[in-house]
Amino acid sequence: MSRGILITFEGIDGCGKSLIMGMVRDWLADEGYPVLATLEPGGSEFGQAFRKMLLESSFGSLDAQTETLLFMVDRSRHVEEIIRPALLRGEIVLCDRYIDSTLAYQGGGRGLNQEQLRIMNDFAVKGVYPDLTLLLSLREELAASRLGDSKDRLEQESLEFFRRVAAVYAALAAAEPRRFRVIDAGAEPQQVFIQAQTQIRMVLPPRRG
Ligand code: TYD
């Protein structure tokens, strides 16, 4: 369907995903690839309000179902407004979190039914699946120590919560080894970036003009 490439970045809070994704974006742009960097929640204009609702601590404890549905609305609109158009333009889309975050956080962390979550993901993305998913893997204790004091609503969850999230990520990666590539995020940023580059080079199209 699409001519571009969708690369998603996944991992627990504090794994350094956003930093590495920024390095990847700059590298691809320098190489002359048309690249678009986006994120969930809040990648679309419409989604900004949902990002606020989902992450601001002032919203207190949302129940897991409501939380999930908000992520889905954000995702559905993000696909239509941002991701699909960019893929149709032939761009390389880098997305900080996508469908696997829901399976890991709402499935693993919150304990919701994985099959139901998959059905909701399918409904929301309307056929737009990642070509490559980089999982930045890091021990939960280390990731927690990297988060500063001003944690958002989800980052305030317990170490146990993040252990469950990480366990689902690991299972997803094992189940889909062609799409998922696990990267050791405990290394220095430059080393993590090199690992990401190696994986991304394998899916890059030949450069144009
Ligand atoms: P964000 O500040 O973007 O964190 P990060 O930089 O680690 O990506 O917050 C996103 C939070 O939302 C993060 O804690 C994971 C969570 N999340 C879910 O629980 N389910 C989802 O489907 C998505 C997209 C994110």
Side-chain angles (χ1 to χ4, degrees):
M1 174 213 77
S2 60
R3 293 183 292 120
I5 295 181
L6 175 58
I7 302 173
T8 59
F9 291 72
E10 296 280 358
I12 58 175
D13 289 84
C15 71
K17 233 171 356 67
S18 314
L19 175 72
I20 301 303
M21 200 180 100
M23 294 166 86
V24 167
R25 180 202 53 216
D26 293 348
W27 160 56
L28 291 173
D30 284 350
E31 294 269 309
Y33 287 101
V35 56
L36 181 122
T38 185
L39 85 172
E40 289 195 0
S44 67
E45 207 176 318
F46 177 87
Q48 293 297 324
F50 289 92
R51 183 175 177 86
K52 256 184 150 204
M53 281 184 218
L54 282 158
L55 300 184
E56 276 186 9
S57 307
S58 57
F59 279 89
S61 55
L62 282 179
D63 62 282
Q65 287 76 3
T66 305
E67 177 182 278
T68 304
L69 290 168
L70 290 175
F71 278 118
M72 290 301 161
V73 178
D74 176 71
R75 180 161 302 138
S76 173
R77 195 58 214 155
H78 189 209
V79 167
E80 288 315 308
E81 210 175 286
I82 307 289
I83 300 179
R84 194 198 303 276
L87 291 174
L88 289 171
R89 291 193 301 267
E91 296 178 8
I92 299 175
V93 178
L94 308 176
C95 190
D96 190 339
R97 299 196 179 281
Y98 197 50
I99 48 177
D100 303 297
S101 279
T102 303
L103 300 176
Y105 279 76
Q106 280 65 52
R110 303 277 188 237
L112 295 184
N113 181 288
Q114 292 283 358
E115 273 322 298
Q116 288 183 341
L117 294 175
R118 281 180 190 277
I119 290 167
M120 283 193 266
N121 266 339
D122 291 342
F123 186 76
V125 304
K126 294 151 280 191
V128 177
Y129 294 98
D131 298 288
L132 175 70
T133 297
L134 298 179
L135 172 59
L136 274 70
S137 172
L138 182 65
R139 278 190 36 237
E140 298 80 35
E141 292 83 358
L142 195 53
S145 74
R146 285 185 182 178
L147 296 172
D149 287 336
S150 59
K151 295 179 181 169
D152 66 37
R153 194 178 60 84
L154 278 135
E155 287 169 354
Q156 289 166 12
E157 287 293 341
S158 65
L159 208 53
E160 257 320 299
F161 176 91
F162 288 108
R163 288 213 175 94
R164 295 197 298 274
V165 172
V168 170
Y169 270 136
L172 291 172
E176 270 189 87
R178 277 177 63 86
R179 171 166 73 93
F180 267 93
R181 296 297 144 81
V182 183
I183 285 179
D184 170 18
E188 288 299 309
Q190 189 59 27
Q191 292 303 317
V192 182
F193 169 58
I194 288 169
Q195 294 178 64
Q197 263 185 324
T198 306
Q199 299 304 334
I200 290 171
R201 280 207 179 93
M202 294 185 203
V203 300
L204 284 182
R207 214 171 335 153
R208 291 176 234 159

